[in-house]
Amino acid sequence: MNDAQLQYEGDGPAHREVVLQVEDLRMHLHTRWGVTKAVDGVTFDLRAGETLGIVGESGSGKSMLALSLVRLTPEPASRFVGGRVLLDGEDLIALSDKEMRRIRGKKISRILQDPHQSLNPVFTVGNQLKEAIRIHEGAPTKDETKRRAIDALRDVQVPEPERRLKNYPHEMSGGMKQRVVGAMAMVYTPSVLIADEPTTALDVTIQAQYLTLLRDLQRRTGVAMIVISHDFGVIAETCDQVAVMYAGRFVEHGPVAEVFDNPSHPYTRGLLDSHPRYVGRGERLRSIPGAPPELSDLPAGCRFRARCEHAVAACGESDPTPVRVSNQHTAWCFRTEEAPWADR
Amino acid sequence: MGRPLIEVDNLSKRFAVMGGPLGVRTVGHVRAVDGVSFAINEGETYALVGESGCGKTTTARTILRLFTPDGGQVRVEGRDVHALTGVELKEFRLAVQAVFQDPWASLNPRMRAGTLIAEALKANRRVSKAETKARVAALLERVGFPAWKADLYPHEFSGGQRQRIALASALITDPKLIVLDEPVSALDLSVQAQVINLLKDIQAELQTTFLIISHDLDTVRYVADRVGVMYLGQLVEETRAEELFEHAKHPYTRALLASRLALHPSERGEGAPVIGEAPSPMEPPSGCRFRTRCPHAMEICEQVPTMVQLDVGHTVACHLYSQ
Ligand SMILES: Nc1ncnc2c1ncn2[C@@H]1O[C@H](COP(=O)(O)OP(=O)(O)O)[C@@H](O)[C@H]1O
Ligand SMILES: Nc1ncnc2c1ncn2[C@@H]1O[C@H](COP(=O)(O)OP(=O)(O)O)[C@@H](O)[C@H]1O
Ligand code: SF4
Ligand SMILES: [Mg+2]
Ligand SMILES: [Mg+2]
């Protein structure tokens, strides 16, 4: 592995305990138009202090996977048709709604793309933070609660935290609100934090600062994170492992530097190649032709086949089986071993 | 590439900010665009970049006559855009087209693609039905669709495809200028590449002039000839695209460039200058507006910096370069 620089000081996450185990998870949505196989056989482990990135085009099922993990999938459409989600050994899919409420937001927490969905506009930021602290820690004294709220804001580098407690969400900028949402999520010291497109709505300047903050937060607390993004830049900035998702499934999964250096699925290669940064002005950008398949009308065989320039007859006949690229690096493609896309 | 097609001359545009208990009282003004000057030459692609709220869209919409300026002028081929009437105004409407970020907003969902593309022609010019149909077919093909797709509705196209339809409908009048406001921001990267390649082809083939607004600096470097960097309603730096990426001068431009995310995990955390967020455009700082976030701010920065020329075609408004 050549990602020594990505390891934390001390023991790397690879040696830590597994906090979240997802095994062959399948969550389908039943609608008037048919059955959308939004999550269709996803498996991964997540260790304490580790960040897994999930990347893919819009509609590939990333958000539905995130919602499945906290059991907030759209009702009444969603059905868990297979698999398990083990959090500290307990299967979340088998829990009652009531039991799930005990865990959601506390042991497994989400940061949403749009802070408006996480913050209540009619209460001050201080009220909301203090409420969370009271619920989490029984009934600490008023002073203690306030002190904890100020610390929580200071942890996410909100300037003048004491004054900020009195602000309503609309009195804060987008970047500041996103920090407050981060502080709220961390009050409960969850084992797993899921950030779904955490910076998509932010300007580049704020985005870079926020990702630095997420990294620091993790280094301090050791929380395991799942960062969902359509942007490989966000993944490069934050993740240890990355999974590339396409049409409800992982098509590649491995250590982030390995996947960047040796993309072993043509879809990953295509996504990395479509970035304009290092393309000369006289050259053409590489794009992936076409669009992803309808999740309610999936083709037989490899789901990427219709857009794949390397497809062979076998690709249309059966699902690709996982191919080991290295110890921790897997790709689901019939041609991974030949990798005809490698020399470009 | 030659004479200026568009001249933006000391342009200002303010918006009233409503407040009070009923939200009907004017409590202040946003100086969305505050004394901006630049020119776009015939056949070139000019880009405006900067954080959200810095006035890019307002500038573009004022050029398009969707807003009236509060100060300054926009001239097209030397004529004041906002003083045009009659035939000249009709001509302007054909000569200047726009494509916006959200293709839904610019495409009527109940019109078929072919009708949508022909729209601008119908409203403005007497062209025979047969000719219109032929032009639509040619344009559809130009943006990569078979002619029969003219019968489909917008919802039958994906986001990237809708943006190509929007481009075809902008091209039907043979415009001199196309304004593109964040044309690919809502699209996935792989699809962005399809649209950007198409833009490049059209640029090369038709020598159309483009004004492109984008917050993605990598896209701008790839498509634009010259770039203007805006901050809180003002232009702070302007130069050729390559020059900007290699020798940016203004501390704000440098911060924008440094904030771009790593494209490989080994470069992680290298950018991220800690410069906080932009102040409110209702109360911009006095002097250099960037000074509250600038790592180089000096005493003299309390005074307004003027635009100075550093090199042919490279101007910057910053006291680091004032003598
Ligand atoms: N509320 C819903 N009801 C039915 N289908 C949905 C709903 N939300 C999303 N979907 C479908 O689920 C699939 C996966 O969507 P999503 O997980 O949001 O993708 P991503 O986050 O990768 O962009 C898409 O086909 C989408 O149309
Ligand atoms: N129609 C409007 N009414 C009031 N304020 C506006 C309007 N349009 C833009 N603004 C304000 O003007 C400023 C510049 O906005 P805009 O031109 O949209 O910036 P950009 O396109 O660079 O993001 C912002 O502060 C914005 O809130
Ligand atoms: S399995 Fe076949 S079609 Fe699918 S990605 Fe690999 S080569 Fe392409
Ligand atoms: Mg999503
Ligand atoms: Mg805008």
Side-chain angles (χ1 to χ4, degrees):
Chain A
M1 245 167 66
N2 61 350
D3 59 347
Q5 72 274 30
L6 308 179
Q7 301 278 314
Y8 298 80
E9 304 96 62
D11 57 332
H15 306 290
R16 304 208 188 144
E17 54 164 333
V18 173
V19 288
L20 184 73
Q21 260 177 300
V22 176
E23 293 174 358
D24 197 29
L25 184 65
R26 288 166 200 270
M27 192 284 293
H28 296 174
L29 298 156
H30 289 244
T31 67
R32 271 193 287 157
W33 302 279
V35 180
T36 299
K37 296 179 175 172
V39 180
D40 201 33
V42 167
T43 299
F44 65 88
D45 284 355
L46 187 66
R47 293 170 188 275
E50 180 178 69
T51 302
L52 168 69
I54 298 179
V55 67
E57 284 165 290
S58 55
S60 54
K62 305 182 299 294
S63 291
M64 287 300 138
L65 173 58
L67 290 170
S68 299
L69 300 180
V70 292
R71 290 258 313 267
L72 284 176
T73 49
E75 292 295 351
S78 63
R79 311 258 200 292
F80 286 90
V81 294
R84 302 198 295 172
V85 175
L86 299 172
L87 179 65
D88 296 327
E90 187 171 32
D91 183 8
L92 302 187
I93 305 301
L95 294 182
S96 69
D97 287 351
K98 192 174 162 207
E99 288 168 321
M100 191 61 215
R101 273 197 294 277
R102 174 171 56 79
I103 288 176
R104 185 188 308 125
K106 303 180 181 73
K107 287 176 79 176
I108 183 164
S109 219
R110 253 179 351 138
I111 294 179
L112 298 170
Q113 174 176 343
D114 178 5
H116 296 119
Q117 293 171 7
S118 310
L119 295 174
N120 190 328
V122 302
F123 295 109
T124 63
V125 161
N127 271 330
Q128 297 181 61
L129 252 179
K130 286 190 255 178
E131 175 71 11
I133 291 164
R134 269 192 297 271
I135 294 172
H136 180 52
E137 296 174 8
T141 63
K142 242 180 136 178
D143 285 353
E144 175 63 15
T145 310
K146 185 170 175 193
R147 197 182 55 74
R148 291 266 295 107
I150 292 171
D151 284 350
L153 287 185
R154 194 171 287 128
D155 276 352
V156 292
Q157 289 157 31
V158 170
E160 305 180 79
E162 187 149 6
R163 195 171 65 83
R164 285 299 185 180
L165 287 179
K166 298 190 194 96
N167 281 167
Y168 287 91
H170 74 263
E171 294 171 315
M172 296 181 139
S173 68
M176 206 57 79
K177 272 187 286 213
Q178 198 57 297
R179 279 164 195 261
V180 172
V181 172
M184 299 266 289
M186 292 312 292
V187 162
Y188 297 104
T189 53
S191 327
V192 178
L193 184 64
I194 304 171
D196 190 351
E197 306 274 4
T199 58
T200 303
L202 304 176
D203 268 309
V204 276
T205 46
I206 316 300
Q207 168 168 311
Q209 293 173 63
Y210 189 72
L211 294 179
T212 306
L213 176 91
L214 274 186
R215 278 197 304 266
D216 292 348
L217 204 73
Q218 181 178 51
R219 202 165 291 141
R220 260 185 295 117
T221 61
V223 66
M225 292 204 306
I226 297 177
V227 172
I228 294 176
S229 181
H230 63 279
D231 182 347
F232 261 110
V234 172
I235 305 295
E237 290 282 355
T238 52
C239 299
D240 304 299
Q241 304 279 322
V242 60
V244 182
M245 197 162 179
Y246 190 77
R249 291 187 173 163
F250 287 180
V251 295
E252 181 161 4
H253 182 190
V256 67
E258 269 192 61
V259 172
F260 272 80
D261 290 337
N262 181 23
S264 298
H265 193 285
Y267 181 58
T268 313
R269 177 88 228 195
L271 287 179
L272 287 169
D273 280 352
S274 49
H275 203 287
R277 183 159 317 165
Y278 301 115
V279 181
R281 286 165 50 90
E283 299 167 51
R284 288 182 77 74
L285 294 178
R286 290 178 193 278
S287 62
I288 305 175
E294 281 298 325
L295 296 179
S296 53
D297 186 19
L298 289 163
C302 172
R303 294 174 180 189
F304 185 57
R305 183 171 49 107
R307 303 170 76 188
C308 182
E309 52 180 301
H310 304 288
V312 290
C315 306
E317 282 155 22
S318 58
D319 286 353
T321 45
V323 179
R324 272 266 171 106
V325 181
S326 76
N327 204 8
Q328 293 182 63
H329 184 180
T330 308
W332 284 258
C333 165
F334 288 111
R335 304 197 67 189
T336 290
E337 268 151 29
E338 314 156 58
W341 49 83
D343 41 49
R344 270 194 171 169
Chain B
M1 214 168 291
R3 328 173 269 141
L5 175 68
I6 300 285
E7 291 161 280
V8 174
D9 187 1
N10 201 17
L11 188 71
S12 295
K13 178 70 193 167
R14 286 180 304 152
F15 293 109
V17 178
M18 300 306 200
L22 299 174
V24 293
R25 193 155 51 81
T26 304
V27 293
H29 283 92
V30 184
R31 290 191 260 164
V33 178
D34 199 13
V36 165
S37 301
F38 64 94
I40 310 176
N41 297 318
E42 250 166 40
E44 83 172 338
T45 296
Y46 190 96
L48 282 177
V49 302
E51 286 162 296
S52 57
C54 70
K56 305 180 296 294
T57 296
T58 305
T59 305
R61 288 185 165 255
T62 312
I63 294 174
L64 288 166
R65 272 185 61 113
L66 297 170
F67 291 142
T68 340
D70 292 308
Q73 259 189 358
V74 178
R75 291 186 292 272
V76 60
E77 295 179 318
R79 274 180 301 252
D80 181 353
V81 163
H82 295 88
L84 297 176
T85 52
V87 182
E88 281 190 334
L89 179 55
K90 269 195 179 153
E91 273 171 13
F92 173 82
R93 294 215 165 108
L94 293 172
V96 177
Q97 295 285 326
V99 174
F100 296 107
Q101 170 170 1
D102 179 9
W104 278 121
S106 39
L107 301 181
N108 181 338
R110 264 174 257 134
M111 278 192 196
R112 293 177 197 271
T115 321
L116 279 165
I117 294 173
E119 200 93 297
L121 264 195
K122 245 189 213 149
N124 286 286
R125 217 188 248 170
R126 307 219 169 269
V127 187
S128 74
K129 261 198 177 151
E131 196 190 326
T132 305
K133 209 169 163 199
R135 286 223 62 180
V136 168
L139 279 170
L140 270 173
E141 195 188 330
R142 185 66 213 81
V143 298
F145 295 112
W148 62 266
K149 295 239 173 176
D151 290 336
L152 300 184
Y153 290 96
H155 74 263
E156 294 174 279
F157 293 94
S158 69
Q161 290 176 330
R162 281 200 289 271
Q163 218 44 328
R164 278 148 59 193
I165 300 280
L167 197 59
S169 76
L171 284 168
I172 197 144
T173 61
D174 270 331
K176 291 186 174 138
L177 173 75
I178 302 184
V179 175
L180 304 145
D181 192 350
E182 305 273 9
V184 296
S185 305
L187 306 176
D188 274 309
L189 201 60
S190 57
V191 181
Q192 286 190 12
Q194 298 170 6
V195 176
I196 292 168
N197 280 337
L198 178 64
L199 276 178
K200 278 267 210 182
D201 292 345
I202 289 169
Q203 210 176 36
E205 248 171 70
L206 307 174
Q207 278 91 48
T208 313
T209 309
F210 288 111
L211 169 60
I212 185 165
I213 290 173
S214 174
H215 66 266
D216 182 50
L217 294 171
D218 292 308
T219 302
V220 164
R221 182 197 56 86
Y222 182 68
V223 300
D225 298 308
R226 289 193 303 133
V227 184
V229 182
M230 285 186 75
Y231 186 72
L232 286 178
Q234 300 181 330
L235 210 61
V236 297
E237 184 163 10
E238 180 188 72
T239 186
R240 282 187 307 118
E242 286 116 321
E243 176 76 4
L244 191 81
F245 284 81
E246 278 157 31
H247 308 289
K249 292 291 192 259
H250 199 286
Y252 177 61
T253 313
R254 291 178 176 214
L256 282 181
L257 286 167
S259 297
R260 288 182 303 162
L261 299 183
L263 277 192
H264 191 281
S266 61
E267 297 157 13
R268 157 177 312 183
E270 280 179 9
V274 186
I275 57 166
E277 292 182 58
S280 158
M282 272 180 77
E283 293 159 67
S286 62
C288 170
R289 294 192 174 176
F290 188 58
R291 73 187 163 100
T292 54
R293 300 167 84 191
C294 182
H296 308 287
M298 313 163 276
E299 220 178 292
I300 191 176
C301 303
E302 288 166 28
Q303 285 159 41
V304 178
T306 49
M307 259 301 188
V308 293
Q309 176 148 353
L310 299 177
D311 217 329
V312 182
H314 191 168
T315 52
V316 64
C318 165
H319 288 294
L320 288 172
Y321 308 94
S322 21
Q323 31 273 330

